[in-house]
Amino acid sequence: MKGFEKVVDEIRKTVAQILIIPSLLNGIIVFLIAYLILSFFDFYQEYSLVIAALYTAYLIWKELGINKLKLVERYYPSLNEKLRTAADYADKEDVMVNALHKEVIEEVKSVATSAFISRRNITIKTMIIFGICFVLLGITYFHLDSQQFKSGLEDQINKLAQKVLAREGNSIFSANKTNTSGAGGGSGVGINTDIFGDKKLAILGDEQLDVEIKPSTMEFKIGEVKEAEKKDFEQVFPGEIYIKAATTNEDKIPKEKQELVKNYFKKIAAETR
Amino acid sequence: MKNYEKIFDGFFSNMNKVIIGQNEMIEEILIAMLCNANGLVEGYPGLAKTLTVKTIAELMDMSFSRIQNTPDLMPSDITGTYIIDEIDGRRQFKFQKGPIFANILLADEINRATPKTQSALLEAMQEKQVTVGNTTFKLDEPFFVLATQNPIEQEGTFPLPEAQADRFLLKIKVGYPAVEDEIKIVERFTGEESIPKLSPIIDKKVFIALQNLSRRVPIANELKQKIVKLIDTTRHNKKLIEYGASPRASIGLILASKARAFIKGRTHVSSEDIVKMAFPILRHRIILNFEAEKEGLSTDDVITELLTK
């Protein structure tokens, strides 16, 4: 039947267009997840776009490889093998082939494009996208990053450790607790037995720094790191006393008059004395 | 398509007036005829093999002849021979046509004939012509040989060699009827009612047109490949098969699948047609090895295994 090739092309194109939608949604999900992870670790967030683009391209390439006619047949069993046969004979004219083409065209009219889209799938994916977007908004709003998360976690662990150790220290190292303030307090760890004195204070120069010795990890924490102050230098010389330019007229006085000028200044000098 | 469907519906309903059950056998015989090929019907005695072929011939308005094969049957008994005839006082040789000069030839118990007679028949099947002496006689179109053979009582028989069995497109197995069908058979053949006389519903011209149309049924490329792969598998499955099927089997399976689709009123071949037709097409074309026979597998079991792969 004339024009059946067009029918087959249209079926293929329509199905391909429909198949791209879930691939794009998957791509968006991958992009958001990648962005979430990269921004959490404060690593080049732009890479998430590359990852998503590559993933989407792979999905689309895979979707394009699917036999569209077979897919239609899967959703419409009455077209099973009929559609592929008709497509194989799309350019042929024959009594039987024409009858087949006519039959297929009639049945294809009842094919709904919505049949190829899973509403449940699309809804789930859209919800996932919304969910990730809210998480991203939350992270941005609260300025959360991995460092904060890490330090927060460490703080929590330390607090917990301190509590545990405090309990243990009270019972086991009660003897050390009294000795540690003096010299040669011996070994032992306890929450109130800090051998380094006041844990909060250490003076370096004129700046007071917040130095903390962690009993569990023995790490120093410099809580406050201030920006370098910007200081203007005071002017040494008053503004009006300075040399703009120095010139000498010596060269311009003729040699025979130089002695005369010399004597003139000597005379002035003697008079001023 | 609906007109063709009506023809086949009429054919089957008329057949059922005489033959009860055995629809698969009737369908397969018709498929062989639509493919312009021959069929070998195998089954125990008394399963209406001969009656089926006779009824088909009646419905098709075609000339029908029957040969009861025996070991003493000579090729000339089939092909015909020259006899001395007297015309206007002059004696001359005249060719007396044998039973082979018919549209439908029923060769009953073909395995009882000697290989020489079998060869004469098989040559006619293949070439659609008969050579007697120096003269070649073209057989009337359409021409089909529907041979029957009995799987039991093999003593004194000459089993068809594989090469000759290959000439038959289908090997149709006839089984015992179901109990309900047998009750109907008994009632029909023992009651007052006699077997109805059927009038032809398909003539030669129509049948030849149907043959041409059945060849035109489209088949998807994927299914063609599936058929060729299936036949190829029979040649490489050395675990169970000694000798696989020839390309004739591929051609036959495609043609038979087309004919089946046509009978079923479809405008295309489906996988179901291929699966159904694989059995009568391959049954006599694959030779099982000792391993398969030791395990008690039949050719149908092996075909089933090949199809499920």
Side-chain angles (χ1 to χ4, degrees):
Chain A
M1 186 181 270
K2 277 180 188 173
F4 193 78
E5 282 167 307
K6 282 181 188 171
V7 175
V8 175
D9 282 345
E10 200 180 318
I11 294 168
R12 283 193 177 122
K13 268 184 203 168
T14 313
V15 176
Q17 281 165 3
I18 294 164
L19 287 178
I20 283 173
I21 296 167
S23 303
L24 289 176
L25 284 177
N26 284 340
I28 293 169
I29 292 170
V30 168
F31 166 71
L32 290 171
I33 291 169
Y35 189 84
L36 187 73
I37 294 165
L38 292 175
S39 58
F40 189 73
F41 290 104
D42 201 19
F43 194 70
Y44 302 98
Q45 285 97 330
E46 305 84 47
Y47 284 172
S48 57
L49 206 65
V50 178
I51 293 165
L54 286 173
Y55 181 69
T56 312
Y58 167 72
L59 283 183
I60 290 171
W61 173 76
K62 224 174 129 185
E63 298 288 3
L64 288 175
I66 290 173
N67 188 336
K68 313 289 179 307
L69 303 178
K70 226 174 181 175
L71 193 76
V72 175
E73 286 174 5
R74 209 168 65 201
Y75 284 97
Y76 290 87
S78 64
L79 280 167
N80 191 26
E81 288 167 350
K82 199 186 275 184
L83 187 58
R84 272 176 288 162
T85 312
D88 286 342
Y89 286 76
D91 57 341
K92 291 196 174 89
E93 289 270 339
D94 191 275
V95 187
M96 295 301 285
V97 173
N98 286 353
L100 174 66
H101 287 170
K102 213 173 168 183
E103 219 174 279
V104 169
I105 287 169
E106 279 301 314
E107 284 187 40
V108 162
K109 278 177 189 169
S110 64
V111 174
T113 46
S114 58
F116 305 101
I117 300 169
S118 162
R119 259 189 214 172
R120 194 172 163 267
N121 238 336
I122 299 277
T123 312
I124 290 168
K125 279 172 187 171
T126 315
M127 296 303 285
I128 291 169
I129 290 169
F130 272 115
I132 301 169
C133 283
F134 277 118
V135 172
L136 272 170
L137 281 171
I139 285 171
T140 317
Y141 184 75
F142 293 110
H143 303 290
L144 290 171
D145 60 18
S146 63
Q147 285 303 315
Q148 275 185 331
F149 178 75
K150 205 177 161 188
S151 60
L153 195 72
E154 276 176 6
D155 283 347
Q156 290 301 317
I157 292 165
N158 287 339
K159 275 180 191 170
L160 200 72
Q162 279 170 3
K163 275 182 190 171
V164 171
L165 288 169
R167 238 180 272 150
E168 285 177 357
N170 281 336
S171 57
I172 301 165
F173 300 109
S174 53
N176 290 339
K177 194 179 172 182
T178 49
N179 296 333
T180 45
S181 54
S187 63
V189 183
I191 189 70
N192 296 324
T193 58
D194 195 344
I195 59 166
F196 299 104
D198 190 353
K199 63 178 180 181
K200 282 274 178 186
L201 294 172
I203 296 168
L204 288 172
D206 292 326
E207 280 291 333
Q208 183 177 305
L209 298 171
D210 187 8
V211 178
E212 184 187 351
I213 300 164
K214 290 182 184 171
S216 61
T217 58
M218 298 300 283
E219 280 177 3
F220 281 87
K221 181 192 172 190
I222 299 172
E224 269 179 43
V225 180
K226 287 184 177 178
E227 287 286 315
E229 278 183 27
K230 201 175 182 182
K231 283 187 175 179
D232 294 328
F233 286 102
E234 283 179 18
Q235 285 176 325
V236 182
F237 301 105
E240 62 272 17
I241 308 169
Y242 63 91
I243 298 161
K244 266 188 176 175
T247 52
T248 173
N249 298 318
E250 209 175 353
D251 293 342
K252 290 174 185 175
I253 301 162
K255 230 179 183 178
E256 61 271 14
K257 286 181 182 175
Q258 277 183 3
E259 200 61 32
L260 189 68
V261 173
K262 206 176 174 181
N263 291 336
Y264 171 75
F265 278 106
K266 270 182 183 175
K267 199 177 170 184
I268 290 169
E271 279 174 6
T272 52
R273 268 178 219 156
Chain B
M1 278 304 288
K2 288 198 172 170
N3 293 333
Y4 313 133
E5 266 185 87
K6 274 182 191 170
I7 293 172
F8 292 122
D9 284 346
F11 173 80
F12 284 109
S13 62
N14 274 294
M15 282 297 294
N16 289 334
K17 282 178 189 170
V18 179
I19 311 289
I20 295 164
Q22 308 292 13
N23 287 329
E24 207 168 308
M25 174 180 59
I26 298 167
E27 190 184 283
E28 286 175 4
I29 290 173
L30 185 62
I31 287 167
M33 290 170 78
L34 280 172
C35 296
N36 201 17
N38 312 291
L40 178 63
V41 187
E42 188 183 87
Y44 298 115
L47 293 178
K49 298 187 293 284
T50 310
L51 183 62
T52 305
V53 179
K54 270 172 80 175
T55 314
I56 288 172
E58 263 179 58
L59 281 172
M60 292 207 176
D61 194 21
M62 291 179 198
S63 57
F64 169 76
S65 57
R66 178 184 171 179
I67 305 164
Q68 183 63 51
N69 288 280
T70 50
D72 59 353
L73 189 79
M74 297 300 288
S76 58
D77 296 335
I78 297 171
T79 58
T81 186
Y82 282 99
I83 54 166
I84 298 170
D85 194 26
E86 195 175 309
I87 302 166
D88 300 331
R90 288 175 60 203
R91 284 182 181 177
Q92 58 183 33
F93 280 104
K94 186 194 163 194
F95 183 69
Q96 180 72 47
K97 287 181 179 176
I100 206 160
F101 289 89
N103 294 117
I104 299 173
L105 174 70
L106 172 64
D108 239 346
E109 295 189 87
I110 194 170
N111 54 345
R112 296 215 175 270
T114 56
K116 192 179 177 183
T117 312
Q118 283 174 5
S119 310
L121 187 65
L122 295 167
E123 194 186 335
M125 282 162 55
Q126 189 70 23
E127 310 294 330
K128 310 263 179 189
Q129 63 183 31
V130 171
T131 306
V132 181
N134 293 325
T135 318
T136 301
F137 299 93
K138 195 99 181 125
L139 295 171
D140 193 17
E141 282 285 336
F143 174 73
F144 318 103
V145 173
L146 298 167
T148 67
Q149 69 175 19
N150 195 336
I152 52 167
E153 294 171 9
Q154 295 296 310
E155 207 172 321
T157 62
F158 303 92
L160 284 175
E162 278 74 25
Q164 295 199 343
D166 196 36
R167 308 262 175 99
F168 289 98
L169 179 74
L170 307 177
K171 184 177 181 182
I172 302 156
K173 270 201 172 174
V174 190
Y176 288 115
V179 176
E180 305 84 59
D181 287 339
E182 200 165 336
I183 291 166
K184 283 180 195 169
I185 293 167
V186 168
E187 280 172 0
R188 184 172 292 177
F189 288 90
T190 56
E192 286 175 7
E193 272 183 50
S194 57
I195 301 165
K197 181 83 183 152
L198 300 174
S199 47
I201 55 162
I202 305 169
D203 64 15
K204 276 188 212 173
K205 273 188 181 177
V206 172
F207 196 77
I208 289 169
L210 289 174
Q211 279 183 331
N212 290 332
L213 278 170
S214 88
R215 288 180 86 94
R216 289 184 187 179
V217 174
I219 176 168
N221 295 336
E222 208 179 304
L223 295 182
K224 272 186 211 163
Q225 284 169 7
K226 192 179 167 183
I227 287 171
V228 173
K229 272 183 192 168
L230 174 71
I231 303 301
D232 187 59
T233 317
T234 64
R235 296 169 203 151
H236 299 111
N237 190 332
K238 294 291 172 199
K239 202 179 133 198
L240 298 168
I241 300 166
E242 187 75 44
Y243 296 105
S246 68
R248 198 182 271 167
S250 304
I251 297 164
L253 188 48
I254 290 175
L255 287 175
S257 303
K258 281 182 173 191
R260 188 177 185 272
F262 188 55
I263 290 171
K264 297 280 173 194
R266 268 186 276 109
T267 49
H268 67 99
V269 174
S270 73
S271 296
E272 188 206 338
D273 298 321
I274 295 166
V275 171
K276 280 272 178 190
M277 296 321 298
F279 291 93
I281 287 281
L282 291 174
R283 211 170 261 153
H284 55 302
R285 288 188 166 99
I286 55 174
I287 299 166
L288 302 184
N289 63 14
F290 173 72
E291 200 66 33
E293 279 174 12
K294 193 183 80 182
E295 285 177 31
L297 295 171
S298 66
T299 44
D300 281 17
D301 295 329
V302 175
I303 295 164
T304 309
E305 201 183 308
L306 293 174
L307 286 167
T308 48
K309 270 184 186 174

